[in-house]
């Protein structure tokens, strides 16, 4: 009893148990190593396969797509209202004949076209094997604004700038020579001018938000749908006063309109003109902004007689061609 001690770990009874635990650990480690090696082999094989597949795809695209002459762009199919020349629309796409039909994004070509303030909406479509279809809806100017702006720095000079507005109030710059046909450019230069709008801020391609300017544009659109559009030519619309539109015609009529009920006011204007024709007088001034009264003035008879004499004395010069 005096010499008793704890059992030694190396005793015969303990040895088999501890040897069994060590073998289990070694087997477990080996299984994990084999599993890790197997997973690593799978991943390596997948990486090699992906690399070979990528190289194969690139080789396929290079040989059969990007350098495939049968997919080169050879024809543009353009549909529009015909004001913007087709060659300008094609130029704005940034593409040229011979470009690969699959080497560009349609969304980018659409954006390039719609960067022009004269293009309201554009759609682009590939038609295999060689055609790009372009469909453009153009903006149609309805009025113009002339502004004095500083041109150049540091010695800036005042320059008269003309801006165009469509029916929704989108601002457009006057096209440069060659961008549209001369006949269209001359027609746009004769559009009604909106005056009294120099204090409004304008940005090319954006809509104006001023209520007076919107009202003037709405008046123009309503007038163009009326029976007066064939007999009266509008020179300007003054919006300098808050609640009144001052309209000036080519023959010198000055007509005041309220912003609301434009159709009924145009009908009254037409009635007064017809009445003046019946009595042989020409209208000079008419105030339609007052709902229960219509102040008006006729052109003085002396002025009308002078106009008639001038017409009688005017002899047209005819160009004769001998055949």
């Amino acid at each position: 009893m005096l010499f008793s001690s704890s059992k030694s770990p190396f005793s015969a009874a303990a040895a088999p148990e501890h040897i069994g635990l060590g073998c289990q650990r070694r087997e477990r480690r080996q299984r994990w190593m084999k599993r890790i090696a197997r997973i690593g082999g799978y991943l390596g094989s997948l990486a090699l396969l992906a690399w070979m597949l990528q190289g194969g795809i690139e080789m396929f695209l290079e040989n059969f797509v990007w350098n495939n002459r049968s997919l080169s762009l050879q024809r543009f199919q353009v549909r529009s209202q015909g004001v913007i020349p087709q060659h300008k629309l094609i130029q704005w796409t940034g593409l040229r004949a011979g470009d690969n039909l699959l080497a560009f994004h349609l969304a980018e070509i659409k954006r390039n076209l719609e960067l022009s303030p004269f293009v309201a909406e554009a759609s682009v479509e590939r038609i295999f094997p060689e055609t790009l279809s372009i469909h453009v809806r153009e903006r149609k100017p309805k009025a113009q604004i002339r502004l004095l702006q500083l041109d150049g720095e540091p010695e800036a000079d005042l320059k008269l700038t003309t801006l165009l507005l469509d029916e929704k109030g989108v601002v457009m710059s006057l096209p440069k020579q060659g961008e549209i046909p001369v006949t269209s450019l001359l027609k746009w230069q004769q559009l009604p001018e909106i005056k009294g709008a120099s204090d409004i801020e304008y940005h090319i391609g954006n809509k104006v938000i001023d209520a007076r300017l919107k009202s003037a544009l709405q008046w123009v659109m309503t007038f163009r749908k009326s029976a007066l559009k064939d007999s009266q030519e509008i020179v300007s619309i003054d919006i300098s006063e808050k609640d009144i539109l001052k309209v000036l015609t080519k023959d010198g009529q000055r007509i005041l309109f309220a912003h609301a009920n434009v159709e009924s006011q145009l009908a009254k204007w037409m009635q007064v003109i017809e009445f003046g024709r019946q009595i042989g007088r020409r209208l000079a001034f008419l105030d339609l902004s007052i709902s229960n009264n219509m102040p008006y003035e006729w052109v003085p008879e002396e002025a009308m007689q002078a106009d008639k004499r001038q017409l009688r004395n005017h002899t047209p010069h005819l160009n004769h061609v001998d055949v």
Side-chain angles (χ1 to χ4, degrees):
M1 295 297 293
L2 294 174
F3 299 97
S4 63
S5 61
S6 60
K7 293 183 179 180
S8 171
F10 299 102
S11 62
E17 180 182 356
H18 286 281
I19 291 173
L21 290 175
C23 291
Q24 291 177 1
R25 293 193 186 99
R26 282 196 302 270
E27 290 176 359
R28 193 179 298 118
R29 257 195 320 268
Q30 290 174 357
R31 286 197 300 269
W32 275 106
M33 292 297 293
K34 289 180 180 179
R35 189 175 299 174
I36 292 172
R38 191 181 302 115
I39 294 174
Y42 290 154
L43 293 177
S45 299
L46 288 175
L48 179 61
L49 181 62
W51 178 77
M52 295 176 63
L53 185 61
Q54 181 182 3
I57 292 175
E58 290 179 355
M59 184 180 299
F60 174 81
L61 292 176
E62 186 70 24
N63 294 329
F64 298 100
V65 178
W66 309 133
N67 294 326
N68 190 345
R69 293 185 178 181
S70 63
L71 292 176
S72 62
L73 179 59
Q74 300 296 335
R75 192 162 66 94
F76 292 91
Q77 186 181 80
V78 181
R79 290 177 295 167
S80 65
Q81 281 73 35
V83 176
I84 305 175
Q86 290 190 2
H87 73 274
K88 278 294 177 184
L89 292 172
I90 294 173
Q91 179 183 342
W92 291 344
T93 64
L95 300 176
R96 294 179 299 176
D99 289 345
N100 191 280
L101 200 59
L102 294 174
F104 54 83
H105 297 288
L106 294 180
E108 182 179 353
I109 305 304
K110 171 182 168 68
R111 184 174 63 251
N112 291 343
L113 289 168
E114 292 179 349
L115 284 176
S116 170
F118 296 101
V119 176
E121 186 179 5
S123 61
V124 189
E125 180 185 2
R126 296 184 181 95
I127 301 179
F128 292 100
E130 59 180 17
T131 304
L132 181 68
S133 174
I134 303 171
H135 187 198
V136 169
R137 182 170 61 85
E138 302 175 12
R139 287 195 174 95
K140 297 181 180 180
K142 302 300 182 182
Q144 62 177 322
I145 297 174
R146 293 190 176 99
L147 302 172
L148 283 174
Q149 294 181 337
L150 295 176
D151 180 36
E153 291 182 0
E155 297 180 358
D157 297 327
L158 283 176
K159 179 183 177 181
L160 186 62
T161 302
T162 300
L163 299 177
L164 303 174
L165 300 173
D166 74 348
E167 58 185 281
K168 294 184 179 180
V170 177
V171 183
M172 298 169 282
S173 58
L174 195 66
K176 298 178 182 178
Q177 187 174 4
E179 288 188 347
I180 64 170
V182 177
T183 53
S184 298
L185 183 60
L186 293 176
K187 182 180 178 180
W188 290 357
Q189 290 175 342
Q190 302 302 317
L191 289 171
E193 178 185 356
I194 300 180
K195 295 185 175 181
S198 58
D199 58 335
I200 301 174
E201 188 175 356
Y202 302 95
H203 298 283
I204 304 297
N206 294 343
K207 293 182 181 180
V208 294
I209 58 175
D210 185 83
R212 297 172 302 156
L213 197 50
K214 287 183 177 180
S215 179
L217 287 171
Q218 185 60 42
W219 186 94
V220 171
M221 298 308 300
T222 306
F223 172 81
R224 290 172 65 90
K225 297 176 183 178
S226 70
L228 286 166
K229 68 180 180 63
D230 296 325
S231 60
Q232 304 298 319
E233 184 174 348
I234 307 302
V235 175
S236 65
I237 306 166
D238 193 331
I239 60 172
S240 56
E241 293 191 23
K242 182 179 180 181
D243 299 322
I244 296 177
L245 299 174
K246 300 179 181 179
V247 176
L248 177 65
T249 66
K250 190 174 182 179
D251 61 358
Q253 297 180 58
R254 295 179 295 112
I255 316 296
L256 304 185
F257 284 84
H259 290 273
N261 300 321
V262 173
E263 292 181 356
S264 62
Q265 295 177 73
L266 289 172
K268 293 177 182 178
W269 182 18
M270 189 170 183
Q271 291 175 2
V272 175
I273 291 176
E274 291 296 329
F275 177 72
R277 288 174 181 170
Q278 294 175 8
I279 64 175
R281 304 298 297 270
R282 182 157 56 87
L283 187 64
F285 170 79
L286 178 64
D287 189 351
L288 297 170
S289 63
I290 305 174
S291 58
N292 57 355
N293 195 5
M294 290 192 303
Y296 68 92
E297 293 179 8
W298 301 115
V299 173
E301 293 188 6
E302 296 80 5
M304 292 187 63
Q305 294 297 329
D307 291 342
K308 291 179 181 179
R309 287 194 298 269
Q310 185 177 2
L311 289 174
R312 286 196 300 267
N313 295 333
H314 177 68
T315 304
H317 299 281
L318 302 177
N319 295 323
H320 298 277
V321 179
D322 295 330
V323 180

